[in-house]
Amino acid sequence: MSVNSANSQHPIRSTRSERLLVLSSLLLVIAILSIVTFLLIRERANAELSAARAANNIVQLIDADVLRNVELYDVSLLGLIAASQREDLKSVSPAIRHLAYFDRATAAPYKGNILLLDNKGDVIADSASVEPRQGNYADREYFQSHVNNPDPGMFISPPFRARSPEQDWRISFSRRVNGSQGEFLGVAEAAMRLSYFDQLFNSLSIGHDSTVNLISKDGILLAQQPRLAEELIGKDFSSRPNFQRIVKEGNGSFTGMSSRYKDKRLYTFSKVGNLPLIVIVALSSDEVFAAWKRTAVVVSFATIALCVSLLWLTWLLCRELRRRQSAEQELAQLAATDPLTGLANRRSLDQALRHEWFRAQRSGLPLSLLMIDVDHFKAFNDRHGHQGGDDALRWVAKVISTHVRRPADLVARYGGEEFSVILAETDSAGAQQIAGNVRAAVEQLPLMGGDESPITVSIGISTWTTATDISLEQLLFAADKALYQAKESGRNRVVAT
């Protein structure tokens, strides 16, 4: 590793810093986008939950209102049955008897006629007139149900169309009239017009494209507000997947595709008490998420602008870092070079040695260190002066550099007349071969004027391997010790530990 190779660590560090900055910015952008996305998803879920709660409140309001009215109908039926069983009313005039029979029926809104039927289904009392109508209702489902069931409890019929000229949709509330021995005497029946639901739905505000629907348990649409299509009233929806899911779940909410309008809707639904009716609030997804979409657009644009600005600032900062690092690299090049020999200086040596040491620890490959000392340099310097001594050091440095050529190796001036060589991935035998070549080459340098003997060097070698398991400090100490042994043994020789 030459001094240029050592200094090349600076652009590597610069590149790492730049990459780290870019990576940090990208991670920050990803974090911002992830957080904003998470918040928007959560807000969307909250918007859907709020809409479902509002729709559920509407459903519960409808349910409570309907159940109150059902109680009124039941009171009317019980009053009619009680009055019909009073013996004292049989002797009064038809007008007074009519008042007694139906005095509790006036409070029921959207009521149809209340009838009292005998055990054959004929009308014996009619709330619409003192003189009961002529008619037989023995074919009605509610009548047949009471004939076959002795339970005097209230029966709620499926929706049906009235026999009146309007033929509007109605449901029937009825009770069985029993004799003193439990025998079947007839039926008390009251009908409620389903237009009641139109009036109830009209009081609710749910949005332009959303609907409140009343549908029978058999899938017949009975009321809708607002009416998106008039011909839908009375249409059978029992085969639609959404209705089948609603019937299966009974109560709750889900988001599904409308088979009629081909858009996504939030369906919230509930059975109306014990009635064979289901209330469905179908909220348009466009209306449910309208406010959220406006917020999402604003937040998304602001987030994108923030992220783009952050990346642009990162680019500017990287450019400035490259400029600064280029200047620092030039200064580092000067600071890492020995001005006399052009080799790496002590500071570069320490850095490179630590780097190669840790690399060897990771790879498990051997690492060798050469400590080189010019023999009798003080005497040489005294004879030839400082200029001659400097020339000699330059010659020795050139010889060492000539024999240490691998990019991973480093030749450095350790200090004074001492040099160090780092030999990466080199065992003791390889290091001794290189050291021997260096020693022999230095000995072949031309004689300095007036000298009888050539310049020579002593070299100490230490090698780390996985088998030696020594520390970096011990590696340096071993090389110094080997150099000392080479000098003590007569100099101009190589000693390896």
Side-chain angles (χ1 to χ4, degrees):
M1 181 186 293
S2 65
V3 65
N4 290 332
S5 299
N7 290 331
S8 67
Q9 295 177 14
H10 293 287
I12 291 175
R13 287 197 299 269
S14 301
T15 302
R16 285 179 179 174
S17 300
E18 194 172 327
R19 287 177 178 175
L20 183 60
L21 178 61
V22 172
L23 179 61
S24 300
S25 298
L26 289 175
L27 290 176
L28 182 58
V29 167
I30 292 173
I32 292 173
L33 293 176
S34 299
I35 292 172
V36 171
T37 301
F38 168 76
L39 292 176
L40 288 177
I41 291 175
R42 189 180 69 175
E43 287 304 310
R44 190 182 190 280
N46 288 339
E48 184 174 9
L49 181 61
S50 297
R53 286 175 177 171
N56 187 63
N57 290 338
I58 292 174
V59 169
Q60 297 303 319
L61 177 66
I62 294 172
D63 189 59
D65 193 278
V66 171
L67 291 179
R68 282 195 299 270
N69 282 287
V70 170
E71 289 179 1
L72 293 177
Y73 278 90
D74 197 27
V75 168
S76 299
L77 294 177
L78 291 173
L80 175 58
I81 293 173
S84 68
Q85 294 178 338
R86 289 177 56 179
E87 294 296 331
D88 57 334
L89 291 178
K90 295 179 181 180
S91 59
V92 301
S93 65
I96 295 176
R97 187 166 54 248
H98 184 271
L99 288 174
Y101 280 177
F102 302 106
D103 67 329
R104 301 183 186 181
T106 55
Y110 292 89
K111 66 178 181 63
N113 297 330
I114 300 177
L115 303 175
L116 181 62
L117 309 178
D118 62 16
N119 57 5
K120 295 180 181 180
D122 293 325
V123 179
I124 57 177
D126 184 353
S127 64
S129 63
V130 174
E131 186 66 29
R133 73 184 71 178
Q134 297 296 317
N136 184 276
Y137 293 87
D139 59 331
R140 288 295 194 186
E141 182 178 349
Y142 60 83
F143 187 87
Q144 294 298 322
S145 175
H146 289 301
V147 170
N148 300 319
N149 185 3
D151 184 3
M154 185 171 67
F155 174 79
I156 302 171
S157 74
F160 62 91
R161 285 192 179 275
R163 292 178 180 175
S164 60
E166 305 92 28
Q167 291 192 336
D168 55 339
W169 285 98
R170 301 184 182 189
I171 58 174
S172 175
F173 306 94
S174 59
R175 280 183 176 272
R176 174 185 170 112
V177 181
N178 288 333
S180 59
Q181 302 300 320
E183 67 275 18
F184 177 62
L185 299 181
V187 173
E189 181 268 340
M192 180 175 73
R193 294 185 177 92
L194 294 186
S195 56
Y196 155 70
F197 289 96
D198 288 330
Q199 178 270 336
L200 179 59
F201 293 170
N202 275 329
S203 64
L204 305 173
S205 176
I206 57 169
H208 178 69
D209 292 327
S210 302
T211 59
V212 181
N213 307 273
L214 178 69
I215 193 165
S216 73
K217 68 176 183 179
D218 298 321
I220 304 300
L221 181 65
L222 304 174
Q224 184 182 72
Q225 190 64 36
R227 292 189 177 182
L228 301 183
E230 184 69 30
E231 69 275 8
L232 291 181
I233 304 301
K235 186 175 178 63
D236 186 356
F237 287 86
S238 59
S239 62
R240 302 293 175 89
N242 287 339
F243 177 76
Q244 292 175 357
R245 179 173 177 179
I246 288 170
V247 171
K248 181 180 179 181
E249 296 183 9
N251 298 281
S253 294
F254 67 88
T255 299
M257 182 67 68
S258 170
S259 57
R260 173 72 185 183
Y261 303 106
K262 307 302 180 185
D263 63 349
K264 277 192 174 182
R265 299 198 164 217
L266 175 62
Y267 293 94
T268 303
F269 51 93
S270 175
K271 289 183 62 178
V272 181
N274 294 323
L275 303 181
L277 305 173
I278 302 172
V279 175
I280 305 171
V281 176
L283 300 178
S284 168
S285 292
D286 290 337
E287 292 182 350
V288 169
F289 299 115
W292 174 83
K293 286 180 180 178
R294 289 192 294 270
T295 301
V297 168
V298 173
V299 171
S300 297
F301 275 115
T303 302
I304 291 173
L306 174 62
C307 292
V308 170
S309 300
L310 179 60
L311 294 175
W312 180 68
L313 290 174
T314 300
W315 178 80
L316 291 179
L317 184 56
C318 287
R319 187 178 67 174
E320 185 61 29
L321 282 176
R322 283 194 295 271
R323 291 177 178 174
R324 180 173 297 182
Q325 288 163 353
S326 178
E328 290 176 352
Q329 184 181 351
E330 294 179 5
L331 294 175
Q333 179 76 19
L334 296 175
T337 305
D338 175 57
L340 176 63
T341 61
L343 300 177
N345 60 15
R346 177 68 178 274
R347 177 171 173 271
S348 297
L349 173 69
D350 292 340
Q351 291 177 345
L353 184 57
R354 291 185 65 81
H355 173 74
E356 292 301 332
W357 169 261
F358 288 121
R359 192 158 72 93
Q361 300 297 305
R362 292 192 299 270
S363 66
L365 297 175
L367 172 66
S368 294
L369 177 66
L370 276 58
M371 297 297 291
I372 305 172
D373 184 79
V374 180
D375 295 331
H376 304 295
F377 183 74
K378 186 177 185 302
F380 183 92
N381 206 40
D382 290 341
R383 290 196 305 273
H384 300 287
H386 290 297
Q387 183 61 47
D390 289 347
D391 289 341
L393 291 175
R394 280 193 285 267
W395 294 344
V396 172
K398 185 176 181 181
V399 170
I400 299 172
S401 298
T402 301
H403 289 81
V404 181
R405 299 173 180 172
R406 296 186 307 173
D409 298 335
L410 175 71
V411 180
R413 186 181 178 189
Y414 193 76
E417 68 275 17
E418 289 190 54
F419 300 87
S420 289
V421 179
I422 301 173
L423 298 174
E425 301 179 12
T426 304
D427 59 14
S428 181
Q432 291 182 54
Q433 182 178 352
I434 294 172
N437 294 337
V438 169
R439 186 203 62 77
V442 171
E443 192 175 13
Q444 297 301 316
L445 288 172
L447 298 176
M448 197 68 133
D451 285 345
E452 296 180 356
S453 59
I455 299 172
T456 61
V457 293
S458 299
I459 304 175
I461 303 173
S462 64
T463 301
W464 175 90
T465 64
T466 53
T468 59
D469 192 24
I470 59 175
S471 67
L472 179 58
E473 289 74 15
Q474 291 171 328
L475 181 70
L476 286 167
F477 178 77
D480 277 334
K481 183 179 179 181
L483 177 61
Y484 178 78
Q485 291 176 357
K487 286 182 170 291
E488 288 294 312
S489 300
R491 293 184 171 85
N492 191 22
R493 65 191 60 225
V494 176
V495 174
T497 59

